[in-house]
Amino acid sequence: MAKVALVTGGSRGIGAAISKKLKADGYDVAATYAGNDEAAAKFTEETGIKTYKWNVGDYDDSAAGIAKVEADLGPVDVVVANAGITRDAPFHKMTKDQWQQVIDTNLTGVFNTVHPIWPGMRERKFGRVIVISSINGQKGQFGQVNYAATKAGDLGIVKSLAQEGARFGITANAICPGYIATEMVMAVPEKVRDAIIGQIPAGRLGEPEEIARCVAFLAADDSEFVNGSTISANGAQFFV
Ligand code: CAA
């Protein structure tokens, strides 16, 4: 029977590429989205991948959504916590709201996504938890105190989960994408973006599919000994 994969924020950007790659690799895929019904409907129409709408920042909403996915497709074997937002501002201008929204989605959202699935993975003695962190969680970024804090926190989550899950056949790993050609990066002012591209030795933005390849590797059955690790995919922009 096909394994089931859940990808949060899986209908757009990096998440859409991950959903499509996992489907192509034979998984039954569920992709979640937060608000853009039109984009989600178009994505389902084009790919045949089912989409589910919930707010990853809300625990009860996430638990109910995951229960629905499991009723439709079966227990989740692979969970990709990808949903993320930016609310960039220099620290002196950052509002409490900008801080809280990013914490709720990018950090608490990972807890809310993995926690309801975790007991089943332990029982079945198999699981793949993959968290999409960021280069900016590794190095920090001007204008992203909130975002960098969550993405660094995501690395703490996987390193801890790896230790708890290993004896149950569960792995937890992170991917730190650099700057990838998505709407999120395109929203950065052009001048700032050009300066960032100038700092990437590869001389270009990454493609969402280059992150999806990393996910497929971590999700595989025979990747069990890769646990608690971080894959950096950033065109040589930054080394840990
Ligand atoms: N380093 C040093 N100084 C910088 C700077 C930087 N990277 N960026 C801006 N500044 C300077 C400006 O030149 C300006 O200087 P002056 O006052 O002397 O002119 C000062 O900081 C403040 O600038 P502003 O008051 O104009 O700031 P702003 O309110 O317009 O906000 C910003 C600027 C929103 C932070 C903008 O610089 C920005 O969007 N930066 C990009 C942040 C970024 O990289 N985000 C990543 C988004 S993609 C993503 O997050 C995906 C991923 O995982 C990689």
Side-chain angles (χ1 to χ4, degrees):
M1 230 173 74
K3 285 202 157 68
V4 174
L6 172 68
V7 184
T8 64
S11 68
R12 292 195 300 146
I14 291 175
I18 294 170
S19 298
K20 287 191 241 177
K21 172 69 179 155
L22 291 177
K23 182 175 185 228
D25 285 358
Y27 294 84
D28 277 344
V29 180
T32 82
Y33 69 102
N36 194 333
D37 294 317
E38 207 180 309
K42 188 160 173 268
F43 178 76
T44 299
E45 197 184 302
E46 284 171 6
T47 62
I49 294 170
K50 277 189 98 162
T51 49
Y52 296 80
K53 184 179 184 175
W54 73 73
N55 171 13
V56 297
D58 184 294
Y59 188 88
D60 293 340
D61 213 14
S62 297
I66 289 163
K68 171 103 180 58
V69 168
E70 295 202 322
D72 289 353
L73 302 181
V76 174
D77 302 294
V78 176
V79 56
V80 186
N82 164 76
I85 59 168
T86 54
R87 296 289 181 268
D88 294 354
F91 188 54
H92 65 284
K93 290 186 191 168
M94 188 173 286
T95 64
K96 188 171 175 301
D97 253 13
Q98 287 174 320
W99 168 262
Q100 199 60 51
Q101 285 174 27
V102 173
I103 296 287
D104 289 349
T105 303
N106 299 10
L107 185 64
T108 309
V110 175
F111 177 87
N112 295 344
T113 299
V114 180
H115 194 256
I117 293 170
W118 189 256
M121 288 183 165
R122 278 169 51 106
E123 271 167 33
R124 294 186 301 277
K125 301 253 184 305
F126 181 87
R128 295 285 180 266
V129 175
I130 300 160
V131 180
I132 307 302
S133 174
S134 165
I135 185 175
N136 292 343
Q138 298 173 302
K139 72 170 186 59
Q141 171 61 41
F142 189 107
Q144 289 201 308
V145 164
N146 49 3
Y147 185 88
T150 62
K151 295 299 182 177
D154 289 341
L155 300 182
I157 292 176
V158 299
K159 288 172 187 171
S160 305
L161 283 180
Q163 293 177 50
E164 294 193 20
R167 68 199 164 97
F168 298 98
I170 306 172
T171 67
N173 293 285
I175 299 166
C176 285
Y179 282 77
I180 308 299
T182 61
E183 281 173 40
M184 185 184 270
V185 168
M186 293 310 169
V188 172
E190 197 178 351
K191 232 177 94 188
V192 178
R193 197 170 64 238
D194 286 347
I196 291 168
I197 294 172
Q199 294 161 13
I200 305 173
R204 65 171 176 89
L205 297 173
E207 294 299 329
E209 291 72 21
E210 293 177 298
I211 304 306
R213 285 175 64 80
C214 302
V215 171
F217 165 70
L218 293 172
D221 285 9
D222 54 1
S223 291
E224 186 178 302
F225 212 59
V226 182
N227 203 354
S229 75
T230 301
I231 298 181
S232 298
N234 62 34
Q237 188 182 351
F238 183 75
F239 305 117
V240 183

